[in-house]
């Protein structure tokens, strides 16, 4: 789901950032043109939309860990 959404937003000419626990997956996504760059603590506040495409418990954990870095106007799905 995450890869398909990334490709769709990229095709619509949006800047797409991605994160995966497997760094090689992010590297592949960048090389294949599906995303622009990796999501990190330095650029997470710039996001207008964050789509979390992982198992529910992991999504809750990720969101708790990163909530302080996310802009208040960012939509999180």
């Amino acid at each position: 789901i995450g890869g398909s959404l990334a490709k769709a937003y990229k095709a619509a000419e949006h800047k797409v950032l991605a994160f995966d626990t497997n760094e090689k997956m992010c590297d592949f996504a960048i090389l294949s043109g599906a995303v622009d760059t990796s999501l990190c603590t330095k650029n997470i506040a710039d996001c207008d939309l964050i789509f979390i495409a992982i198992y529910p418990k992991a999504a809750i954990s990720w969101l708790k860990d990163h909530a302080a870095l996310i802009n208040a106007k960012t939509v999180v799905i």
Side-chain angles (χ1 to χ4, degrees), residues 34-67:
V35 301
D36 294 298
T37 192
S38 294
L39 178 69
C40 65
T41 58
K42 293 180 181 182
N43 60 21
I44 194 170
D46 298 331
C47 296
D48 296 321
L49 171 68
I50 297 176
F51 183 84
I52 304 173
I54 54 179
Y55 292 107
K57 286 184 181 181
I60 291 167
S61 177
W62 186 91
L63 192 54
K64 284 181 179 179
D65 292 345
H66 295 88

Side-chain angles (χ1 to χ4, degrees), residues 6-27:
K7 289 177 186 177
Y9 276 97
K10 184 75 172 151
E13 299 183 5
H14 293 282
K15 183 175 180 180
V16 178
L17 312 178
F19 172 79
D20 194 295
T21 55
N22 181 345
E23 191 174 327
K24 290 181 181 183
M25 289 302 292
C26 276
D27 292 343

